[in-house]
Amino acid sequence: MDIGLQRQLFDELTAHVRDKTTSLAEGEMPYPAGAYYDPAQLVREKRLFHRFPLIVGHSDEIREAGQYFAGTILGVPFLIVRQKDLTVRAFRNVCNHRGAPVCPEGKGRAGQFVCPYHAWTYSLDGSLRGAPRNAFPGLDRAEARLPELAVLERHGLLWLRLDGGAIDFEAFAGGLDAELASFDLGNYAIERRESYDAEINWKSVLDGFLEVYHFSPLHSNSIGPWFYANTSSFEKLQLNGRMVGVRKSIDALVGTEFADDVILPHIAVNYQLFPNTVVVWQGDHFEIWSSFPGDEPGRCHVQFMMLVRPETKDALKSRWDRNMSIIRETVMDEDWAMSEKVQKGLPFIRNNEVVFGANEPALQHFYANLAEQLERGN
């Protein structure tokens, strides 16, 4: 983390702990509860997803030429391929003949892609290499490429845009770009990648990471005793944001002088990347949570990656296993279990509104931006 940001957080967070304060919005913010259960809202949100760069993977998965991974996001089948010049390109995983996938979902290595239906063959760059000429005399082979999608490899992350538009990352990320660069994420390795289907709205996944207000009651038997439950800092970064949670061990720093790296063991940094991802820095590793809308408002699909330094991936295996146990206990068994109950109760809430408190500025920022972007998309 940049030394200037460390000093900023040291001053801000030690003052919050000393004065028993926290970052605040101007006041509370009501938000329509129907945003969590209205099918029409879900349709609008899915359209919005197509306009933004979405994190779908990490460079560690495809470091060598010919390596690829394929998947499906919001019904769009995609294929990301490391080219011979080590750049990456992305395509719709759909053969131009009859629409079959040109490779199965998952990771692998290939010199070309052969459709399993009629053996149309494509190069790594998506160009058509093989199709029977006598059967398709009018085929323009130069035009019969795999449909291309915009993909960007930045900070070790693979960002995909589904609507065919270009990715203007500087305009999207703003000051967040430099912050992510300071962590050198491209030189991390994937310790594990998992996916989950949850019976909650996709936004509820983000909710659990964008305020610490719930730590004391909900996480009293897991991480709650280690963190301050109503002390955090928050900064807007255009559509994105940075929320910093505070471990109680920070008490030892109150009243002391700033020094390089002294704040780092006492904080957890949650970067909210619009529209659907939270990148959590935990000091010795990163967690990346991306939540995607499901077929119904009360369902979602979550992709999770844990990133660690390559030299620690195997050497600290038991540590990462223990960390994953804490994640399951906290996120799935507590946050998501509560969100399932919330999902059922929201249609009956007073005035059909949820209320984000002044002590939840990260949530207010996210939902205000979501409402504005939905309005722009209409």
Side-chain angles (χ1 to χ4, degrees):
M1 180 184 288
D2 175 76
I3 187 68
L5 179 57
Q6 289 187 41
R7 181 181 292 276
Q8 172 189 325
L9 294 176
F10 178 91
D11 292 342
E12 185 175 2
L13 293 173
T14 55
H16 279 323
V17 171
R18 182 192 65 223
D19 300 335
K20 294 181 172 57
T21 57
T22 188
S23 291
L24 294 171
E26 293 182 0
E28 63 268 36
M29 171 186 166
Y31 197 78
Y36 289 87
Y37 61 81
D38 180 11
Q41 172 87 2
L42 181 66
V43 171
R44 296 169 63 211
E45 290 172 348
K46 285 185 175 182
R47 287 200 302 264
L48 177 143
F49 269 64
H50 287 246
R51 296 192 282 116
F52 287 90
L54 307 173
I55 295 175
V56 296
H58 187 271
S59 300
D60 191 43
E61 298 178 279
I62 52 168
R63 293 207 183 270
E64 299 176 8
Q67 287 187 315
Y68 69 87
F69 74 88
T72 301
I73 291 181
L74 297 173
V76 179
F78 69 87
L79 169 64
I80 300 180
V81 188
R82 181 73 66 182
Q83 302 294 301
K84 293 179 180 179
D85 63 0
L86 299 184
T87 60
V88 294
R89 297 179 75 166
F91 313 96
R92 294 177 187 164
N93 186 15
V94 178
C95 179
N96 290 312
H97 175 215
R98 299 273 285 277
V102 299
C103 75
E105 291 197 0
K107 294 184 288 186
R109 183 193 298 271
Q112 62 184 13
F113 298 102
V114 181
C115 175
Y117 197 2
H118 296 91
W120 282 36
T121 305
Y122 298 87
S123 299
L124 297 181
D125 65 2
S127 59
L128 181 65
R129 292 184 61 179
R133 293 181 181 273
N134 59 348
F136 302 92
L139 178 66
D140 186 337
R141 300 172 73 87
E143 292 294 324
R145 304 176 49 83
L146 292 176
E148 195 148 5
L149 296 169
V151 65
L152 178 69
E153 184 176 27
R154 200 173 187 93
H155 309 308
L157 301 172
L158 300 171
W159 310 72
L160 191 67
R161 180 166 168 171
L162 300 179
D163 68 355
I167 297 175
D168 185 346
F169 193 80
E170 288 77 9
F172 164 73
L176 180 61
D177 196 21
E179 283 197 36
L180 290 177
S182 73
F183 289 108
D184 193 28
L185 276 167
N187 286 321
Y188 277 67
I190 292 185
E191 197 280 328
R192 70 189 68 203
R193 173 199 263 272
E194 298 184 2
S195 61
Y196 315 97
D197 292 309
E199 297 295 313
I200 58 179
N201 185 267
W202 69 272
K203 299 184 291 295
S204 295
V205 175
L206 276 67
D207 290 351
F209 291 100
L210 297 183
E211 50 94 353
V212 296
Y213 183 32
H214 71 286
F215 273 29
S216 182
L218 187 60
H219 299 317
S220 60
N221 295 317
S222 55
I223 63 172
W226 307 101
F227 281 84
Y228 277 106
N230 200 27
T231 299
S232 63
S233 73
F234 174 69
E235 184 172 345
K236 298 177 182 179
L237 299 167
Q238 296 184 187
L239 290 176
N240 314 295
R242 180 203 332 107
M243 193 200 79
V244 182
V246 188
R247 292 182 171 89
K248 292 180 180 178
S249 59
I250 200 174
D251 289 353
L253 300 184
V254 177
T256 67
E257 295 296 320
F258 170 79
D260 191 8
D261 291 348
V262 70
I263 189 71
L264 301 185
H266 309 288
I267 60 175
V269 184
N270 292 3
Y271 288 101
Q272 170 253 313
L273 306 179
F274 194 85
N276 70 320
T277 293
V278 176
V279 176
V280 183
W281 179 74
Q282 295 276 20
D284 58 1
H285 71 280
F286 284 86
E287 300 162 15
I288 300 181
W289 300 84
S290 294
S291 179
F292 297 90
D295 295 333
E296 299 177 7
R299 293 181 179 175
C300 69
H301 180 74
V302 182
Q303 294 184 359
F304 169 82
M305 291 184 287
M306 186 189 299
L307 307 179
V308 303
R309 287 291 184 183
E311 64 272 16
T312 70
K313 181 176 179 179
D314 295 324
L316 299 181
K317 177 74 164 56
S318 60
R319 181 183 183 90
W320 309 135
D321 287 344
R322 171 58 181 157
N323 188 76
M324 198 66 214
S325 296
I326 296 172
I327 288 173
R328 295 184 193 280
E329 179 183 0
T330 306
V331 177
M332 288 78 165
D333 296 345
E334 294 176 344
D335 283 326
W336 293 3
M338 178 57 69
S339 293
E340 287 185 15
K341 297 176 182 178
V342 168
Q343 189 70 33
K344 295 174 182 177
L346 282 171
F348 309 100
I349 198 170
R350 179 178 178 271
N351 294 334
N352 194 38
E353 287 182 338
V354 298
V355 182
F356 301 120
N359 62 339
E360 301 173 299
L363 283 173
Q364 291 200 24
H365 178 64
F366 169 69
Y367 280 96
N369 283 325
L370 179 60
E372 180 182 352
Q373 292 301 318
L374 287 171
E375 185 66 26
R376 287 186 181 184
N378 284 342

